[in-house]
Amino acid sequence: MELEKEVKKITLGHETGLGAQCLKCKDKCEGFELHFWRKICRNCKCGLEDHNVQTTTEDDKKIGKLLEDTKYTSLIAKLKTDGVHHYKRNVVTLTNPVAAKKDVAIKAVTYEWTPPVPNQALAVRYIELLPKEKQPLAGTVGAVYRKKQMAKQLPEHDQDPAKCHELSPNEVKQMQQFVKKYKDEALGVGDIKVPEEMQAQNKEKDPSEAGDQGATATMEPLGNKTAPSKGAAYSCYRCQLCMKEGDPAVYAEHAGYEKLWHPACFVCCTCSELLVDMIYFWKKGKLYCGRHYCDSEKPRCGGCDELIFSNEYTQAEDQNWHLKHFCCFDCDCVLAGEIYVMVNNKPVCKACYMKNHAAVCQSCENALEPEAQRVTYGNFNWHAEPECFLCSCCTKCLIGQKFMPIEGMLFCSVECKKKMTS
């Protein structure tokens, strides 16, 4: 019965962001409209994250669902309205430390997320150690970067069957088991600690407990620093360079607390992007973002972007596809047994290719069929036929001959060039 309820409530959320302007395509897009089963806009083919949609509330619910039933419940809370778990982001606003004059407005900056530690100075120092363009400061490119990484690294359809398209009851069950397994074995949220302070805390503990660090361990104030022992060095697990004394490091419980990372080095081993909000997946000695961890465990459909839980699927162009999703990217016609052309790593049927993507012959002005032999020079194309690839002056066939190209025109000699350009 529970599986039947799960299948019945499945929806891709077609109301979310409806009509929102595309930030990449501007007026070329009529407004966001979610494709029936792809995770893109039907009008411009861009993702939801590329449209002017405020997704903060939905993101908080998504991360809340991801962290529920894990040891990170301190980072989530239930919404009073509908009882759904949401993410308690650690938002920090700092005001200008200079005393404000009567005629001078107080300046304030807001970080849309900072590490969940009680020491605000430590959290802000962590942010300062990230690349400037990736710091989640409200209203900056760093905030946009965080939003896009939230959508890319932690797609809802990797954890919630209700966000997937037409899963069978058996596939829903498999996905639920898969999600439970990675929550238990791989999912974690990084800890921020100052290595010198952590060493001092370990010395104060009983030796039998020193190696068992909890994910919610509290930090001492930055002012109470304990000097490291002579010759002690803390090196980053990724870059192998030493940590600067007093700077915060990132620890991952699944990796063991003998390993640490510079804030800017806590990245996915596949895409090398910062792990958004320090949410990581640990597997065989490597850090992954959610997307690439799931990719290492399950095939992902190149059409709908969902993980494949069916035993039957197809492989084409170095990608995996649900059988029903190997379709033309433009018109959605099924491509099994049909001629198709890859355009920007997406399959397109021949008809759509000729209509929307084919290059035009500079001579006859007809579209070049995908299987047609052609000559390309710069941005210009010609059929590799005597009637098309010829001198613009004397019409001599230039196939296999030397030629002089001038703004889309072809010449067999300097004389012909002079006649046409004089």
Side-chain angles (χ1 to χ4, degrees):
M1 288 297 294
E2 290 299 320
L3 282 178
E4 290 179 4
K5 290 180 181 178
E6 194 74 32
V7 173
K8 286 181 180 178
K9 74 175 184 178
I10 283 178
T11 173
L12 291 179
H14 286 74
E15 298 80 15
T16 303
L18 186 64
Q21 181 190 26
C22 181
L23 302 175
K24 292 173 65 175
C25 303
K26 305 297 183 182
D27 294 337
K28 294 180 181 178
C29 175
E30 297 176 7
F32 185 77
E33 181 182 355
L34 185 64
H35 185 277
F36 182 56
W37 49 266
R38 302 184 196 272
K39 310 301 185 293
I40 57 173
C41 175
R42 294 182 63 177
N43 294 318
C44 67
K45 307 296 176 66
C46 296
L48 178 64
E49 67 275 10
D50 294 314
H51 289 74
N52 188 24
V53 182
Q54 295 300 318
T55 58
T56 301
T57 300
E58 293 303 315
D59 285 343
D60 287 348
K61 289 182 180 180
K62 174 179 72 175
I63 302 303
K65 185 172 181 63
L66 178 65
L67 298 181
E68 69 180 3
D69 302 322
T70 70
K71 62 181 67 178
Y72 303 100
T73 52
S74 61
L75 299 178
I76 61 176
K78 280 191 175 181
L79 293 173
K80 294 181 179 179
T81 52
D82 52 15
V84 175
H85 282 105
H86 75 108
Y87 181 35
K88 296 190 299 183
R89 284 178 300 113
N90 192 34
V91 180
V92 170
T93 299
L94 301 176
T95 55
N96 192 333
V98 180
K101 299 178 181 180
K102 291 183 180 180
D103 57 342
V104 178
I106 298 176
K107 292 184 179 180
V109 294
T110 298
Y111 294 104
E112 296 188 351
W113 172 86
T114 59
V117 292
N119 191 321
Q120 187 181 90
L122 187 69
V124 173
R125 179 58 182 155
Y126 163 87
I127 296 294
E128 290 173 348
L129 292 173
L130 300 179
K132 187 76 174 178
E133 70 278 8
K134 296 181 180 180
Q135 296 177 7
L137 185 63
T140 68
V141 293
V144 175
Y145 169 79
R146 177 182 173 271
K147 173 187 171 184
K148 289 190 174 184
Q149 290 304 310
M150 185 70 71
K152 184 176 182 179
Q153 294 186 9
L154 302 168
E156 280 187 297
H157 47 275
D158 279 8
Q159 58 156 311
D160 188 355
K163 302 300 180 181
C164 298
H165 178 64
E166 293 185 350
L167 293 183
S168 68
N170 182 53
E171 288 172 322
V172 170
K173 184 177 180 180
Q174 287 187 59
M175 184 172 187
Q176 290 172 335
Q177 292 172 342
F178 174 71
V179 172
K180 183 180 187 305
K181 186 173 184 292
Y182 75 55
K183 283 188 177 185
D184 293 340
E185 299 178 2
L187 174 64
V189 180
D191 291 336
I192 295 296
K193 300 177 185 295
V194 176
E196 296 89 348
E197 293 179 352
M198 186 173 179
Q199 183 187 54
Q201 291 174 10
N202 287 344
K203 286 182 178 179
E204 294 174 2
K205 291 185 178 183
D206 183 86
S208 63
E209 298 176 354
D212 185 16
Q213 300 295 319
T216 57
T218 58
M219 294 298 304
E220 295 294 330
L222 278 176
N224 299 337
K225 294 181 180 178
T226 302
S229 59
K230 188 175 181 180
Y234 305 95
S235 60
C236 173
Y237 185 68
R238 182 172 187 261
C239 71
Q240 301 301 310
L241 298 178
C242 291
M243 305 293 299
K244 185 178 179 181
E245 183 179 352
D247 274 350
V250 187
Y251 292 82
E253 184 177 14
H254 284 295
Y257 280 80
E258 71 281 1
K259 300 179 181 67
L260 52 84
W261 288 262
H262 289 110
C265 289
F266 200 64
V267 299
C268 171
C269 67
T270 300
C271 63
S272 298
E273 295 291 347
L274 285 177
L275 292 166
V276 64
D277 293 11
M278 298 193 305
I279 298 171
Y280 70 88
F281 291 72
W282 181 256
K283 178 181 177 182
K284 296 180 179 179
K286 294 182 179 180
L287 291 169
Y288 290 85
C289 67
R291 171 178 290 276
H292 292 117
Y293 170 82
C294 290
D295 286 351
S296 74
E297 293 283 317
K298 297 287 183 181
R300 185 182 297 278
C301 178
C304 67
D305 197 49
E306 295 173 15
L307 300 174
I308 300 175
F309 291 94
S310 170
N311 291 328
E312 294 184 351
Y313 62 95
T314 189
Q315 292 180 316
E317 305 297 334
D318 296 323
Q319 297 184 66
N320 303 296
W321 311 80
H322 286 111
L323 296 178
K324 59 188 176 183
H325 288 165
F326 189 58
C327 304
C328 172
F329 196 64
D330 286 4
C331 71
D332 292 333
C333 72
V334 178
L335 293 174
E338 301 294 330
I339 295 175
Y340 65 90
V341 182
M342 295 300 289
V343 178
N344 297 324
N345 211 31
K346 301 294 183 182
V348 176
C349 70
K350 183 176 178 180
C352 286
Y353 174 81
M354 294 296 290
K355 178 182 178 182
N356 304 322
H357 308 284
V360 174
C361 176
Q362 189 69 15
S363 180
C364 69
E365 298 185 349
N366 291 323
L368 289 157
E369 294 190 344
E371 64 271 25
Q373 289 188 322
R374 69 188 69 189
V375 177
T376 299
Y377 190 91
N379 295 323
F380 301 103
N381 298 272
W382 295 266
H383 285 103
E385 302 291 343
E387 58 269 25
C388 289
F389 195 64
L390 41 76
C391 177
S392 299
C393 178
C394 69
T395 68
K396 175 185 176 182
C397 176
L398 296 176
I399 296 175
Q401 304 295 318
K402 291 183 178 181
F403 63 91
M404 301 175 64
I406 303 292
E407 296 182 357
M409 294 187 293
L410 301 173
F411 300 103
C412 63
S413 63
V414 175
E415 290 73 16
C416 281
K417 174 189 170 184
K418 289 181 178 179
K419 288 180 182 179
M420 290 293 292
T421 59
S422 60

